[in-house]
Amino acid sequence: MTQVINSLYRQLPSIDKLLRQPEITLLIASHGQTQVVDILREMQEQARFNIREHQALPEWSDDWAESLHRRLDWGKTSALKPVFNLSGTVLHTNLGRALLAETAIDAVTQAMRSSVTLEYSLDGASRGHRDRALADLLCTLTGAEDACIVNNNAAAVLLVLATVAQGKEVIVSRGELVEIGGAFRIPDVMVQAGCRLVEVGTTNRTHLKDYQRAINPDTGMLMKVHTSNYSIEGFTAEVSGGELAKLGMVSQIPTAIDLDSGSMIDMTQYGLPTEPMPQDYLNHGIDLVTFSGDKLLGGPQAGIIVGKKRWIEAIQQHPLKRALRADKMTLAALEATLRLYQHPEQLRQKLPTLRLLTRPQGEIRDMAQQLLLQMQAYYSEKLIVRDEPCYSQIGSGSLPVDRLPSWALTFTAVDGRGSTLEKLAHQWRNLEKPVIGRLYDGRLWLDLRCLEDGSELLRALLL
């Protein structure tokens, strides 16, 4: 056995010998010698392990150059690969949420290619504030006195709590102590912000008197949290933003509302369910409102805080603000997105999120039927392919109960085995541009709501 192993070890080429191969010399020219040598050493170690464990050379050892080429190509693959989102969730957190408008993409590209007036005032050739231009725009759109931008909505909530109520009590309805993705919990955020949570009411019913009874000299804030990722139905009651604002004014205690998804427009005008808007709460007198940039707003990941000037100024001065601030690319994309809201008559056409959410079911059905025959012909031996009605969801915690009528292509295994569909789903996830569907009720569903170019999907699946 030892002789066999030693013989196999002697068959392994040295690094110097490999580097002299013409094919590998070409790879060095395109990938660099350091990377090539590092991977060759890894391959040698893998080969030695295979010899020790299996008394054989690995299969790829017949052509080191080809195996090296594949590994180098794999190493160049971006971790953020474009995919077909056919999951049925428009704002899919794991797939990057909102698609950016073309104007936002152009703005980001310009900010990347050139120095910009991020914190530079052209009027006085001195330092400016990176939030100023967007703050003015947000004030125009929402009626707020001032605004602040940070890197996501969780950061916005943290910063508001740390600035306004650190070391004090924050009163929140027990039915609004939400947990969102990644185990982000409002109570935990309060602890990190140095606040003490005071729960009032019950899971399903909270009244204004519950807030009133909990107020004491240590109360630092009255807070509402929009339950964007779940719904309590039946025998329920909650305190409105207007009621909370009046109580805050009478008690001289600041008020805040976390909207999370935060639509800037009346969604019902597009046939979508009602979603609370920041401007409504500001009009009621709420001091601070926080919401996300990459959900219903349709922009980049960002946390937006709008409200009373005195509190926004205090937030801007808080030490955490610098740690949580948004970068120039985020600000560029967010500004371009917000400017689309100045032309509401064109918003549905130019904002991808709104365009996808409002696609008529008939239009999606027509696309499914156009794709169906080719899919059936290609997969007929192993799969039964149909077009069927389905329901999409908005996603990212937005309007969790409401569904959007949509249309899908469904794939059922001829052999009736779930493993056949799981293998197919895995195969599609490993395409050059992965196809993300969902397995449900013994079928693999491709919801076409987020597909605007059917020919691209055909090229991916039928080649």
Side-chain angles (χ1 to χ4, degrees):
M1 181 68 69
T2 302
Q3 290 180 340
V4 171
I5 291 176
N6 288 336
S7 174
L8 292 171
Y9 278 145
R10 286 193 293 270
Q11 294 180 44
L12 296 179
S14 68
I15 296 293
D16 287 341
K17 182 177 180 180
L18 289 168
L19 293 177
R20 288 194 294 272
Q21 290 185 11
E23 299 91 339
I24 293 180
T25 301
L26 292 174
L27 293 175
I28 292 173
S30 57
H31 296 274
Q33 181 159 332
T34 299
Q35 185 177 192
V36 167
V37 170
D38 287 345
I39 294 178
L40 286 174
R41 285 174 177 159
E42 290 177 6
M43 292 169 66
Q44 279 192 332
E45 185 55 40
Q46 290 173 7
R48 293 189 186 101
F49 176 83
N50 207 79
I51 291 170
R52 288 194 303 271
E53 295 297 317
H54 305 290
Q55 293 77 53
L57 291 167
E59 293 181 2
W60 49 260
S61 63
D62 291 337
D63 193 337
W64 283 69
E66 176 59 27
S67 180
L68 173 63
H69 194 181
R70 288 198 305 271
R71 294 172 191 232
L72 287 167
D73 284 344
W74 180 84
K76 288 169 60 178
T77 303
S78 173
L80 299 178
K81 298 185 67 172
V83 304
F84 291 98
N85 175 15
L86 307 183
S87 65
T89 301
V90 178
L91 298 172
H92 198 304
T93 297
N94 298 342
L95 299 180
R97 293 183 179 164
L99 304 181
L100 293 185
E102 289 301 319
T103 53
I105 295 170
D106 291 342
V108 172
T109 302
Q110 180 174 319
M112 294 171 68
R113 286 180 171 162
S114 173
S115 298
V116 295
T117 54
L118 179 63
E119 293 184 358
Y120 187 88
S121 173
L122 294 173
D123 292 336
S126 60
R127 183 165 186 166
H129 197 289
R130 67 173 58 201
D131 290 355
R132 189 67 263 153
L134 269 72
D136 291 342
L137 184 53
L138 281 163
C139 290
T140 299
L141 292 170
T142 67
E145 293 180 7
D146 206 351
C148 171
I149 298 94
V150 289
N151 58 9
N152 65 15
N153 189 54
V157 174
L158 175 66
L159 192 52
V160 165
L161 290 167
T163 302
V164 180
Q166 188 172 41
K168 297 183 179 181
E169 295 179 352
V170 178
I171 303 175
V172 184
S173 168
R174 184 169 281 107
E176 297 175 359
L177 297 178
V178 303
E179 175 181 317
I180 61 174
F184 174 90
R185 294 180 172 182
I186 288 295
D188 295 340
V189 176
M190 288 193 182
V191 171
Q192 295 301 316
C195 306
R196 299 189 300 277
L197 169 66
V198 176
E199 303 176 29
V200 296
T202 62
T203 302
N204 61 317
R205 291 177 70 83
T206 301
H207 305 280
L208 188 63
K209 63 185 178 183
D210 295 318
Y211 282 90
Q212 291 170 326
R213 290 169 181 168
I215 292 174
N216 65 68
D218 286 334
T219 302
M221 180 187 291
L222 307 178
M223 187 175 187
K224 273 185 69 64
V225 181
H226 179 50
T227 55
S228 59
N229 60 352
Y230 68 96
S231 176
I232 299 176
E233 298 181 353
F235 187 56
T236 64
E238 68 171 303
V239 177
S240 69
E243 291 175 307
L244 195 69
K246 289 178 182 177
L247 179 59
M249 287 184 273
V250 170
S251 308
Q252 296 186 324
I253 298 172
T255 54
I257 290 184
D258 171 29
L259 292 183
D260 192 31
S261 57
S263 172
M264 293 273 288
I265 54 173
D266 178 6
M267 304 295 283
T268 61
Q269 66 181 302
Y270 297 101
L272 296 170
T274 301
E275 179 76 3
M277 297 184 292
Q279 48 267 50
D280 291 339
Y281 289 107
L282 294 173
N283 290 337
H284 290 319
I286 293 292
D287 291 301
L288 293 165
V289 181
T290 63
F291 56 100
S292 297
D294 57 347
K295 296 184 179 181
L296 289 177
L297 183 69
Q301 176 181 297
I304 300 169
I305 310 170
V306 293
K308 299 292 175 60
K309 190 174 186 65
R310 62 176 288 233
W311 290 119
I312 297 295
E313 288 179 345
I315 288 169
Q316 295 285 16
Q317 296 301 316
H318 196 282
L320 276 176
K321 174 55 167 63
R322 183 174 182 84
L324 302 175
R325 67 185 181 179
D327 71 320
K328 66 176 182 178
M329 290 173 284
T330 298
L331 294 174
L334 183 57
E335 180 181 5
T337 302
L338 290 172
R339 292 203 178 281
L340 293 177
Y341 284 83
Q342 294 180 307
H343 305 282
E345 65 280 359
Q346 300 178 1
L347 193 60
R348 187 174 186 173
Q349 175 186 355
K350 294 190 174 181
L351 192 67
T353 293
L354 188 59
R355 186 171 68 244
L356 295 176
L357 290 176
T358 57
R359 284 185 74 188
Q361 186 185 36
E363 175 186 311
I364 306 171
R365 180 196 61 214
D366 291 345
M367 171 177 281
Q369 292 175 349
Q370 290 170 10
L371 300 175
L372 181 62
L373 291 179
Q374 294 183 68
M375 291 289 190
Q376 287 176 330
Y378 189 83
Y379 290 105
S380 60
E381 292 184 8
K382 295 183 178 180
L383 300 167
I384 300 168
V385 187
R386 297 190 179 98
D387 70 296
E388 301 186 49
C390 66
Y391 286 93
S392 309
Q393 61 181 359
I394 295 174
S396 292
S398 303
L399 301 165
V401 176
D402 299 285
R403 296 291 183 264
L404 307 174
S406 188
W407 213 270
L409 292 175
T410 65
F411 299 79
T412 307
V414 172
D415 59 18
R417 296 177 181 175
S419 59
T420 300
L421 292 181
E422 290 174 0
K423 182 178 179 181
L424 179 65
H426 181 268
Q427 176 186 329
W428 285 354
R429 289 196 301 269
N430 284 278
L431 294 171
E432 183 176 350
K433 183 173 180 179
V435 175
I436 311 298
R438 63 187 178 98
L439 289 166
Y440 172 72
D441 194 27
R443 285 168 288 178
L444 177 54
W445 296 71
L446 298 184
D447 185 329
L448 303 183
R449 173 168 292 278
C450 294
L451 180 69
E452 296 187 283
D453 183 357
S455 61
E456 187 182 6
L457 179 65
L458 288 176
R459 288 194 297 272
L461 293 183
L462 306 189
L463 291 179

mmCIF file of all heavy atoms in Angstrom, residues 414-439:
data_model
loop_
_atom_site.group_PDB
_atom_site.id
_atom_site.type_symbol
_atom_site.label_atom_id
_atom_site.label_comp_id
_atom_site.label_asym_id
_atom_site.label_seq_id
_atom_site.Cartn_x
_atom_site.Cartn_y
_atom_site.Cartn_z
ATOM 1 N N VAL A 414 -43.723 13.970 -14.012
ATOM 2 C CA VAL A 414 -44.479 12.845 -14.582
ATOM 3 C C VAL A 414 -44.397 11.632 -13.662
ATOM 4 O O VAL A 414 -45.374 10.887 -13.492
ATOM 5 C CB VAL A 414 -43.957 12.502 -15.986
ATOM 6 C CG1 VAL A 414 -44.593 11.211 -16.503
ATOM 7 C CG2 VAL A 414 -44.234 13.649 -16.951
ATOM 8 N N ASP A 415 -43.241 11.429 -13.031
ATOM 9 C CA ASP A 415 -43.079 10.268 -12.147
ATOM 10 C C ASP A 415 -43.691 10.496 -10.765
ATOM 11 O O ASP A 415 -43.673 9.594 -9.917
ATOM 12 C CB ASP A 415 -41.599 9.888 -12.011
ATOM 13 C CG ASP A 415 -40.737 11.022 -11.445
ATOM 14 O OD1 ASP A 415 -41.294 11.964 -10.853
ATOM 15 O OD2 ASP A 415 -39.508 10.963 -11.591
ATOM 16 N N GLY A 416 -44.211 11.711 -10.529
ATOM 17 C CA GLY A 416 -44.875 11.998 -9.270
ATOM 18 C C GLY A 416 -43.951 12.196 -8.087
ATOM 19 O O GLY A 416 -44.415 12.332 -6.949
ATOM 20 N N ARG A 417 -42.680 12.212 -8.313
ATOM 21 C CA ARG A 417 -41.718 12.318 -7.211
ATOM 22 C C ARG A 417 -41.376 13.786 -6.908
ATOM 23 O O ARG A 417 -41.044 14.554 -7.807
ATOM 24 C CB ARG A 417 -40.428 11.571 -7.545
ATOM 25 C CG ARG A 417 -40.615 10.064 -7.709
ATOM 26 C CD ARG A 417 -39.303 9.405 -8.103
ATOM 27 N NE ARG A 417 -39.460 7.975 -8.285
ATOM 28 C CZ ARG A 417 -38.489 7.175 -8.718
ATOM 29 N NH1 ARG A 417 -37.289 7.679 -9.016
ATOM 30 N NH2 ARG A 417 -38.705 5.880 -8.848
ATOM 31 N N GLY A 418 -41.432 14.111 -5.634
ATOM 32 C CA GLY A 418 -41.026 15.457 -5.234
ATOM 33 C C GLY A 418 -39.550 15.696 -5.463
ATOM 34 O O GLY A 418 -39.129 16.822 -5.734
ATOM 35 N N SER A 419 -38.753 14.625 -5.387
ATOM 36 C CA SER A 419 -37.307 14.770 -5.579
ATOM 37 C C SER A 419 -36.981 15.228 -6.990
ATOM 38 O O SER A 419 -35.971 15.904 -7.217
ATOM 39 C CB SER A 419 -36.590 13.456 -5.278
ATOM 40 O OG SER A 419 -37.079 12.417 -6.119
ATOM 41 N N THR A 420 -37.825 14.849 -7.960
ATOM 42 C CA THR A 420 -37.599 15.282 -9.344
ATOM 43 C C THR A 420 -37.707 16.797 -9.453
ATOM 44 O O THR A 420 -36.889 17.458 -10.110
ATOM 45 C CB THR A 420 -38.625 14.622 -10.281
ATOM 46 O OG1 THR A 420 -38.479 13.200 -10.206
ATOM 47 C CG2 THR A 420 -38.418 15.071 -11.721
ATOM 48 N N LEU A 421 -38.722 17.373 -8.795
ATOM 49 C CA LEU A 421 -38.895 18.833 -8.821
ATOM 50 C C LEU A 421 -37.805 19.534 -8.024
ATOM 51 O O LEU A 421 -37.332 20.604 -8.408
ATOM 52 C CB LEU A 421 -40.266 19.200 -8.270
ATOM 53 C CG LEU A 421 -41.473 18.779 -9.113
ATOM 54 C CD1 LEU A 421 -42.761 19.233 -8.458
ATOM 55 C CD2 LEU A 421 -41.372 19.344 -10.532
ATOM 56 N N GLU A 422 -37.399 18.935 -6.901
ATOM 57 C CA GLU A 422 -36.323 19.532 -6.113
ATOM 58 C C GLU A 422 -35.024 19.569 -6.918
ATOM 59 O O GLU A 422 -34.274 20.553 -6.862
ATOM 60 C CB GLU A 422 -36.129 18.746 -4.817
ATOM 61 C CG GLU A 422 -37.280 18.915 -3.834
ATOM 62 C CD GLU A 422 -37.148 18.016 -2.622
ATOM 63 O OE1 GLU A 422 -36.148 17.252 -2.559
ATOM 64 O OE2 GLU A 422 -38.029 18.059 -1.741
ATOM 65 N N LYS A 423 -34.776 18.502 -7.662
ATOM 66 C CA LYS A 423 -33.578 18.459 -8.508
ATOM 67 C C LYS A 423 -33.659 19.520 -9.602
ATOM 68 O O LYS A 423 -32.672 20.200 -9.906
ATOM 69 C CB LYS A 423 -33.428 17.066 -9.116
ATOM 70 C CG LYS A 423 -32.180 16.896 -9.965
ATOM 71 C CD LYS A 423 -32.080 15.465 -10.496
ATOM 72 C CE LYS A 423 -30.833 15.296 -11.366
ATOM 73 N NZ LYS A 423 -30.735 13.904 -11.899
ATOM 74 N N LEU A 424 -34.852 19.685 -10.188
ATOM 75 C CA LEU A 424 -35.038 20.693 -11.225
ATOM 76 C C LEU A 424 -34.848 22.100 -10.660
ATOM 77 O O LEU A 424 -34.171 22.932 -11.275
ATOM 78 C CB LEU A 424 -36.434 20.563 -11.831
ATOM 79 C CG LEU A 424 -36.794 21.568 -12.928
ATOM 80 C CD1 LEU A 424 -35.914 21.366 -14.160
ATOM 81 C CD2 LEU A 424 -38.271 21.446 -13.305
ATOM 82 N N ALA A 425 -35.437 22.356 -9.490
ATOM 83 C CA ALA A 425 -35.287 23.666 -8.865
ATOM 84 C C ALA A 425 -33.821 23.953 -8.567
ATOM 85 O O ALA A 425 -33.341 25.081 -8.759
ATOM 86 C CB ALA A 425 -36.114 23.734 -7.579
ATOM 87 N N HIS A 426 -33.103 22.922 -8.106
ATOM 88 C CA HIS A 426 -31.667 23.081 -7.834
ATOM 89 C C HIS A 426 -30.907 23.362 -9.121
ATOM 90 O O HIS A 426 -30.008 24.214 -9.169
ATOM 91 C CB HIS A 426 -31.132 21.819 -7.163
ATOM 92 C CG HIS A 426 -29.667 21.886 -6.825
ATOM 93 N ND1 HIS A 426 -28.683 21.440 -7.681
ATOM 94 C CD2 HIS A 426 -29.024 22.396 -5.744
ATOM 95 C CE1 HIS A 426 -27.502 21.640 -7.140
ATOM 96 N NE2 HIS A 426 -27.674 22.214 -5.957
ATOM 97 N N GLN A 427 -31.268 22.673 -10.169
ATOM 98 C CA GLN A 427 -30.616 22.879 -11.473
ATOM 99 C C GLN A 427 -30.832 24.310 -11.967
ATOM 100 O O GLN A 427 -29.901 24.959 -12.451
ATOM 101 C CB GLN A 427 -31.181 21.878 -12.477
ATOM 102 C CG GLN A 427 -30.675 22.037 -13.903
ATOM 103 C CD GLN A 427 -31.401 21.097 -14.862
ATOM 104 O OE1 GLN A 427 -31.824 20.011 -14.486
ATOM 105 N NE2 GLN A 427 -31.553 21.520 -16.106
ATOM 106 N N TRP A 428 -32.050 24.792 -11.830
ATOM 107 C CA TRP A 428 -32.349 26.155 -12.275
ATOM 108 C C TRP A 428 -31.637 27.205 -11.417
ATOM 109 O O TRP A 428 -31.272 28.262 -11.910
ATOM 110 C CB TRP A 428 -33.857 26.383 -12.248
ATOM 111 C CG TRP A 428 -34.571 25.701 -13.369
ATOM 112 C CD1 TRP A 428 -34.011 25.031 -14.427
ATOM 113 C CD2 TRP A 428 -35.987 25.604 -13.554
ATOM 114 N NE1 TRP A 428 -34.976 24.525 -15.252
ATOM 115 C CE2 TRP A 428 -36.206 24.868 -14.746
ATOM 116 C CE3 TRP A 428 -37.081 26.056 -12.836
ATOM 117 C CZ2 TRP A 428 -37.483 24.590 -15.226
ATOM 118 C CZ3 TRP A 428 -38.369 25.787 -13.300
ATOM 119 C CH2 TRP A 428 -38.562 25.059 -14.486
ATOM 120 N N ARG A 429 -31.448 26.907 -10.148
ATOM 121 C CA ARG A 429 -30.726 27.856 -9.289
ATOM 122 C C ARG A 429 -29.247 27.912 -9.621
ATOM 123 O O ARG A 429 -28.539 28.829 -9.191
ATOM 124 C CB ARG A 429 -30.901 27.483 -7.815
ATOM 125 C CG ARG A 429 -32.304 27.733 -7.280
ATOM 126 C CD ARG A 429 -32.313 27.714 -5.751
ATOM 127 N NE ARG A 429 -31.838 26.455 -5.214
ATOM 128 C CZ ARG A 429 -32.604 25.414 -4.929
ATOM 129 N NH1 ARG A 429 -33.914 25.476 -5.162
ATOM 130 N NH2 ARG A 429 -32.092 24.308 -4.418
ATOM 131 N N ASN A 430 -28.765 26.943 -10.376
ATOM 132 C CA ASN A 430 -27.341 26.909 -10.724
ATOM 133 C C ASN A 430 -27.083 27.307 -12.172
ATOM 134 O O ASN A 430 -25.975 27.104 -12.682
ATOM 135 C CB ASN A 430 -26.764 25.517 -10.451
ATOM 136 C CG ASN A 430 -26.535 25.275 -8.975
ATOM 137 O OD1 ASN A 430 -25.521 25.687 -8.424
ATOM 138 N ND2 ASN A 430 -27.494 24.640 -8.323
ATOM 139 N N LEU A 431 -28.072 27.875 -12.837
ATOM 140 C CA LEU A 431 -27.861 28.404 -14.180
ATOM 141 C C LEU A 431 -26.996 29.655 -14.137
ATOM 142 O O LEU A 431 -26.793 30.251 -13.075
ATOM 143 C CB LEU A 431 -29.207 28.740 -14.826
ATOM 144 C CG LEU A 431 -30.145 27.561 -15.114
ATOM 145 C CD1 LEU A 431 -31.510 28.078 -15.552
ATOM 146 C CD2 LEU A 431 -29.546 26.642 -16.169
ATOM 147 N N GLU A 432 -26.498 30.047 -15.311
ATOM 148 C CA GLU A 432 -25.683 31.266 -15.367
ATOM 149 C C GLU A 432 -26.448 32.463 -14.801
ATOM 150 O O GLU A 432 -25.896 33.286 -14.071
ATOM 151 C CB GLU A 432 -25.274 31.551 -16.816
ATOM 152 C CG GLU A 432 -24.362 32.753 -16.953
ATOM 153 C CD GLU A 432 -23.888 32.958 -18.377
ATOM 154 O OE1 GLU A 432 -24.106 32.063 -19.219
ATOM 155 O OE2 GLU A 432 -23.295 34.026 -18.646
ATOM 156 N N LYS A 433 -27.738 32.556 -15.139
ATOM 157 C CA LYS A 433 -28.624 33.482 -14.456
ATOM 158 C C LYS A 433 -29.681 32.630 -13.770
ATOM 159 O O LYS A 433 -30.599 32.127 -14.415
ATOM 160 C CB LYS A 433 -29.283 34.474 -15.422
ATOM 161 C CG LYS A 433 -30.150 35.503 -14.709
ATOM 162 C CD LYS A 433 -30.674 36.580 -15.644
ATOM 163 C CE LYS A 433 -31.532 37.585 -14.870
ATOM 164 N NZ LYS A 433 -32.046 38.685 -15.749
ATOM 165 N N PRO A 434 -29.561 32.425 -12.456
ATOM 166 C CA PRO A 434 -30.444 31.507 -11.740
ATOM 167 C C PRO A 434 -31.913 31.878 -11.865
ATOM 168 O O PRO A 434 -32.271 33.064 -11.935
ATOM 169 C CB PRO A 434 -29.973 31.620 -10.290
ATOM 170 C CG PRO A 434 -28.544 32.072 -10.394
ATOM 171 C CD PRO A 434 -28.507 32.976 -11.588
ATOM 172 N N VAL A 435 -32.755 30.847 -11.903
ATOM 173 C CA VAL A 435 -34.204 31.017 -11.927
ATOM 174 C C VAL A 435 -34.736 30.615 -10.550
ATOM 175 O O VAL A 435 -34.573 29.476 -10.129
ATOM 176 C CB VAL A 435 -34.853 30.157 -13.030
ATOM 177 C CG1 VAL A 435 -36.369 30.252 -12.958
ATOM 178 C CG2 VAL A 435 -34.348 30.597 -14.397
ATOM 179 N N ILE A 436 -35.376 31.569 -9.866
ATOM 180 C CA ILE A 436 -35.866 31.334 -8.517
ATOM 181 C C ILE A 436 -37.381 31.206 -8.546
ATOM 182 O O ILE A 436 -38.101 32.176 -8.785
ATOM 183 C CB ILE A 436 -35.468 32.489 -7.563
ATOM 184 C CG1 ILE A 436 -33.978 32.816 -7.688
ATOM 185 C CG2 ILE A 436 -35.848 32.139 -6.123
ATOM 186 C CD1 ILE A 436 -33.057 31.689 -7.322
ATOM 187 N N GLY A 437 -37.871 29.998 -8.367
ATOM 188 C CA GLY A 437 -39.302 29.759 -8.271
ATOM 189 C C GLY A 437 -39.657 29.328 -6.863
ATOM 190 O O GLY A 437 -38.933 29.617 -5.906
ATOM 191 N N ARG A 438 -40.780 28.598 -6.715
ATOM 192 C CA ARG A 438 -41.144 28.083 -5.389
ATOM 193 C C ARG A 438 -41.850 26.742 -5.539
ATOM 194 O O ARG A 438 -42.636 26.537 -6.472
ATOM 195 C CB ARG A 438 -42.021 29.070 -4.616
ATOM 196 C CG ARG A 438 -43.365 29.364 -5.242
ATOM 197 C CD ARG A 438 -44.083 30.486 -4.489
ATOM 198 N NE ARG A 438 -45.369 30.802 -5.116
ATOM 199 C CZ ARG A 438 -46.539 30.333 -4.704
ATOM 200 N NH1 ARG A 438 -46.579 29.529 -3.653
ATOM 201 N NH2 ARG A 438 -47.657 30.672 -5.311
ATOM 202 N N LEU A 439 -41.540 25.846 -4.638
ATOM 203 C CA LEU A 439 -42.166 24.534 -4.595
ATOM 204 C C LEU A 439 -43.373 24.605 -3.667
ATOM 205 O O LEU A 439 -43.262 25.000 -2.505
ATOM 206 C CB LEU A 439 -41.177 23.485 -4.094
ATOM 207 C CG LEU A 439 -40.039 23.127 -5.053
ATOM 208 C CD1 LEU A 439 -38.952 22.362 -4.328
ATOM 209 C CD2 LEU A 439 -40.572 22.313 -6.225
#
